[in-house]
Amino acid sequence: RKADLPVEMLLHAIETQVSYSSTLGTFMKLIVKIDQGNMRTVRQAWERHGRPDGLRSLLEAEVGAGVQQPRRLAEGSASLSLLWSMRMKRFWSIMADGFADTASREPTSAFGLRAYEQEVEPYHGLLLSSTFRIGLRALPLARSDAQLHGGPRRCTAPHL
């Protein structure tokens, strides 16, 4: 059997990243709340299935519980919450790359919108898409504005 990613370690890593992301401004706090809600859901599912050690075991327990419905994952499942969390990690990774590229003159709203369009927008309807686009356009214009408020200066994490 292949190695299994420890659930508790994954939850801790995601929750730590989320806490740092909240420093990027008011709109980003909405995204942070969404991520925190996803991690609460994963934790609850993990508890409900007896705290299996590994992610594969947790997902197998959910399959056994019927969370994979025809054409969709059940609301409130670790499977769906982890899927959304990974989409948001890819979004954050592009954002961090944008902040780290100090040679670029691209405004934060431009790389924020690019990250959203690539990783999250294809799964949003019109209302969410409009809301996110308005919020991302309101990001600080210059990287230094975000950095003064504790935003990332350099990305050292690998892309997910």
Side-chain angles (χ1 to χ4, degrees):
R1 185 168 196 169
K2 293 181 180 178
D4 207 351
L5 180 65
V7 174
E8 196 159 22
M9 185 185 336
L10 175 65
L11 290 171
H12 177 71
I14 293 171
E15 290 164 346
T16 299
Q17 180 271 320
V18 168
S19 70
Y20 287 114
S21 299
S22 66
T23 64
L24 293 175
T26 305
F27 174 72
M28 298 312 248
K29 291 183 187 219
L30 168 63
I31 297 171
V32 167
K33 285 189 181 291
I34 292 168
D35 241 352
Q36 288 170 332
N38 283 330
M39 288 306 95
R40 259 191 314 278
T41 299
V42 173
R43 237 179 230 293
Q44 290 166 353
W46 183 49
E47 294 286 339
R48 191 170 47 253
H49 294 292
R51 296 175 59 116
D53 290 333
L55 182 58
R56 181 183 314 277
S57 300
L58 172 59
L59 297 177
E60 287 171 352
E62 285 205 326
V63 167
V67 302
Q68 292 188 6
Q69 302 167 355
R71 307 184 61 76
R72 67 179 307 166
L73 296 170
E75 293 292 327
S77 68
S79 302
L80 182 60
S81 293
L82 284 167
L83 176 63
W84 273 105
S85 182
M86 292 303 102
R87 287 173 179 158
M88 295 312 295
K89 294 307 139 246
R90 291 189 304 269
F91 166 84
W92 284 117
S93 180
I94 294 169
M95 289 289 293
D97 286 347
F99 280 112
D101 186 0
T102 57
S104 174
R105 305 304 299 160
E106 183 179 37
T108 56
S109 59
F111 60 78
L113 282 167
R114 186 174 60 253
Y116 176 69
E117 289 165 356
Q118 285 178 296
E119 302 300 341
V120 182
E121 188 175 40
Y123 310 101
H124 276 176
L126 182 60
L127 180 61
L128 276 174
S129 178
S130 298
T131 302
F132 270 73
R133 286 180 159 281
I134 289 167
L136 288 166
R137 285 187 186 108
L139 287 172
L141 292 177
R143 286 167 180 75
S144 59
D145 293 343
Q147 289 169 342
L148 287 173
H149 300 328
R153 294 185 188 278
R154 185 171 198 160
C155 176
T156 57
H159 292 300
L160 297 175

